[in-house]
Amino acid sequence: LGRKEFRAVGDRSNPKLALIVGACGILVSGVIGTLLVDVTNKVPGASLTDKIAYTLLRGVSVGPLADRIDAVDAPRWVDITINVLIAVSFLLVLYACFRAPRGRQLLAEEDEPRLRALLAKHGERDSLGYFALRRDKAVIWSPSGKAAITYRVVGGVTLAAGDPIGDPEAWPGVIEKWLEEARRHAWTPAVMGAGEEAGTIYARHGLDALELGDEAIVEVADFSLEGRAMRVVRQAHNRVRRAGYTVRIRRHGAIPESEMATLIEKADHWRDGGGERGFSMALGRLGDPADDGCVMLECRDSAGEPRALLSFVPWGKHGLSLDLMRRDRECENGLMEFMVIELLLRAGELGLERVSLNFAMFRAVFERGSRLGAGPVLRLWRSVLTFFSRWWQIESLYRANAKYRPVWEPRFLLFEKSSDIPRIGIASARAEGFLTVPSLPSLFGRRHTRAAQGKPRPAYGKSS
């Protein structure tokens, strides 16, 4: 009767998956139930066939149906346990039948050159534009082909990041196509880290906005180490320099193969945690030959040993956006600040006008909550974030970027319904690598491998 209400396109693999889930569910429930019946049966001499029959009949009914097996008399709690196990198996079968399609996981080979062409024309608009080239994303194009949205489907959420790529006049067309595809597949649409201009256009198409935080952007022309406000930064820079540390700045394409392999090995060794993280603000493929325009900063100690590195992706022709930062935790403190300052002071070598640093989540809360006259709600919210900053770098990341006196650019989360936010939050955490499911490929081998014979390799995740 309700067949016509199910308009979404299902996944063709769902029926097969549902059969597998159902068979495994019945097998597991049957084995556990039979063992419980065998242990708790009050009537001696029951055969294995009687126990299995009792378990299966009790699984589909809590009534007298199973009582017809005279050779079995199990306690009530066993009956309920068996019935719950079968019920859970049935619910898992329903989920397998009606789960949303996962979507394409990889960027098509013909899409990447088109995206790079759009970035060459319009890459100045968004510091996150280059991250659209991650190869674990799919892409949808506007009818004119002048704009595109890259996204990844995670847990039934179609997750885009940053602004659409291309001509802003074509953004409405590609947003409509993206939302239409989401409705067709029953996906929940969401955008992470959109700028204010893109957020306004998304809002015209029915999405609501929630400010996530601010991106720290340093204008090279306005940066200076002079003045009382920069005293702490200036002293840290001079201290590290006196310790004998030096910074080398090169494009990835200018780094020999052997040196890049060493840097990749160091980056993997210095990584905090077992796996790469990142989705919206990370490229996740250090050393890929296709990214020869990226910029590498290598920090070496007085003995010439690598101690830290920073990698930036292009932001148009005159900007860089931070992708990856790693350091040896046993070395001198302040290496990252030293490297960033060296980049800003030597920006003329690369023709840079601006540099995008880290994203500071809930930055406005920390700034406004510490001011005189802040309201009780704002102070409470700041206290909560400060508490959780003990485990996650929320406040410290804001403080680390504020010392460069950047321009703060707000970034937004866009969604259709407020009730979707928990689901979007879980999908975002999975995409960024904070929630992961263990897999065999992640347990063996190195994460980064320089592609052989100049061929690009698939991406992993980010970076912290």
Side-chain angles (χ1 to χ4, degrees):
L1 293 176
R3 172 69 179 175
K4 61 181 180 180
E5 300 299 328
F6 291 83
R7 300 183 296 272
V9 177
D11 195 317
R12 294 182 179 180
S13 64
N14 284 1
K16 181 180 179 180
L17 178 64
L19 288 174
I20 295 174
V21 170
C24 292
I26 293 175
L27 178 62
V28 172
S29 301
V31 170
I32 295 175
T34 302
L35 289 175
L36 290 175
V37 170
D38 180 63
V39 172
T40 61
N41 185 20
K42 301 175 183 177
V43 179
S47 66
L48 179 61
T49 303
D50 290 335
K51 297 172 185 176
I52 294 176
Y54 180 89
T55 299
L56 295 178
L57 290 174
R58 187 58 73 191
V60 299
S61 173
V62 292
L65 183 62
D67 294 339
R68 298 179 181 180
I69 309 296
D70 297 330
V72 177
D73 183 12
R76 185 66 172 170
W77 67 268
V78 173
D79 297 341
I80 295 175
T81 300
I82 295 172
N83 198 260
V84 168
L85 289 173
I86 293 295
V88 170
S89 301
F90 177 70
L91 292 176
L92 291 176
V93 169
L94 288 181
Y95 169 78
C97 283
F98 295 104
R99 68 185 183 122
R102 295 184 178 184
R104 291 185 297 139
Q105 294 296 312
L106 299 178
L107 201 65
E109 186 175 348
E110 64 273 11
D111 289 327
E112 189 167 333
R114 295 178 64 186
L115 287 173
R116 290 185 181 272
L118 288 182
L119 288 172
K121 293 181 180 179
H122 306 282
E124 302 278 351
R125 305 193 65 89
D126 186 16
S127 62
L128 307 185
Y130 197 87
F131 299 126
L133 298 176
R134 285 182 62 105
R135 300 190 186 110
D136 58 355
K137 294 182 178 181
V139 62
I140 190 166
W141 296 90
S142 66
S144 63
K146 295 182 179 180
I149 291 177
T150 58
Y151 64 93
R152 180 178 169 188
V153 180
V154 183
V157 176
T158 172
L159 200 61
D163 298 349
I165 306 299
D167 190 347
E169 294 185 359
W171 287 1
V174 72
I175 290 174
E176 289 176 1
K177 288 193 64 176
W178 176 63
L179 292 175
E180 180 184 349
E181 183 183 48
R183 287 189 291 268
R184 189 161 63 93
H185 293 287
W187 292 333
T188 299
V191 184
M192 294 175 57
E196 193 164 3
E197 181 183 5
T200 301
I201 299 178
Y202 275 112
R204 294 172 186 167
H205 289 77
L207 298 188
D208 203 353
L210 176 67
E211 186 173 347
L212 283 177
D214 298 83
E215 178 186 10
I217 298 176
V218 179
E219 298 288 347
V220 173
D222 299 333
F223 178 78
S224 173
L225 285 177
E226 303 300 324
R228 184 177 180 85
M230 300 297 291
R231 182 181 60 179
V232 176
V233 178
R234 184 171 61 249
Q235 291 175 346
H237 177 264
N238 292 334
R239 174 176 53 80
V240 175
R241 184 177 60 185
R242 287 194 299 268
Y245 288 87
T246 58
V247 174
R248 187 176 187 181
I249 303 176
R250 290 182 289 178
R251 297 280 181 181
H252 283 203
I255 302 176
E257 187 86 15
S258 59
E259 291 186 31
M260 179 61 80
T262 300
L263 293 174
I264 291 173
E265 184 177 358
K266 291 290 185 180
D268 284 340
H269 179 68
W270 294 333
R271 181 174 56 218
D272 183 14
E276 294 284 357
R277 293 178 179 174
F279 169 74
S280 57
M281 301 178 185
L283 192 60
R285 54 170 190 258
L286 182 64
D288 194 299
D291 304 315
D292 55 0
C294 295
V295 172
M296 178 75 76
L297 275 70
E298 311 159 47
C299 185
R300 296 178 179 267
D301 60 18
S302 57
E305 288 295 321
R307 291 297 186 180
L309 61 86
L310 294 177
S311 182
F312 292 81
V313 300
W315 175 13
K317 296 180 180 179
H318 304 289
L320 293 178
S321 184
L322 179 62
D323 171 34
L324 179 144
M325 53 193 308
R326 300 279 169 80
R327 74 176 182 91
D328 185 349
R329 297 186 179 275
E330 298 180 357
C331 65
E332 189 86 14
N333 288 328
L335 286 194
M336 292 302 173
E337 292 83 352
F338 177 67
M339 297 172 73
V340 171
I341 292 171
E342 284 292 306
L343 174 64
L344 296 174
L345 294 178
R346 297 159 57 182
E349 299 176 12
L350 300 173
L352 299 180
E353 296 178 0
R354 58 193 183 277
V355 177
S356 171
L357 300 176
N358 287 300
F359 172 76
M361 201 166 187
F362 304 119
R363 191 237 9 140
V365 176
F366 292 108
E367 184 175 289
R368 299 169 189 167
S370 60
R371 292 178 181 173
L372 182 65
V377 176
L378 187 58
R379 290 201 303 269
L380 176 61
W381 183 217
R382 181 178 182 274
S383 299
V384 171
L385 292 178
T386 301
F387 174 77
F388 283 107
S389 293
R390 299 177 183 179
W391 297 276
W392 295 293
Q393 297 178 354
I394 304 176
E395 184 176 14
S396 61
L397 197 56
Y398 156 61
R399 302 294 180 193
N401 286 278
K403 65 181 65 174
Y404 304 111
R405 319 295 288 182
V407 176
W408 295 104
E409 292 290 339
R411 291 282 176 174
F412 300 89
L413 169 68
L414 297 160
F415 53 92
E416 274 192 327
K417 297 180 294 184
S418 299
S419 58
D420 292 332
I421 291 180
R423 185 180 185 185
I424 293 170
I426 294 174
S428 301
R430 289 177 58 188
E432 296 287 354
F434 293 104
L435 292 177
T436 57
V437 178
S439 59
L440 290 178
S442 66
L443 300 177
F444 303 99
R446 290 191 316 181
R447 282 291 182 174
H448 295 296
T449 306
R450 182 104 176 197
Q453 300 178 354
K455 295 181 180 180
R457 53 180 293 278
Y460 291 92
K462 186 182 175 182
S463 105
S464 298

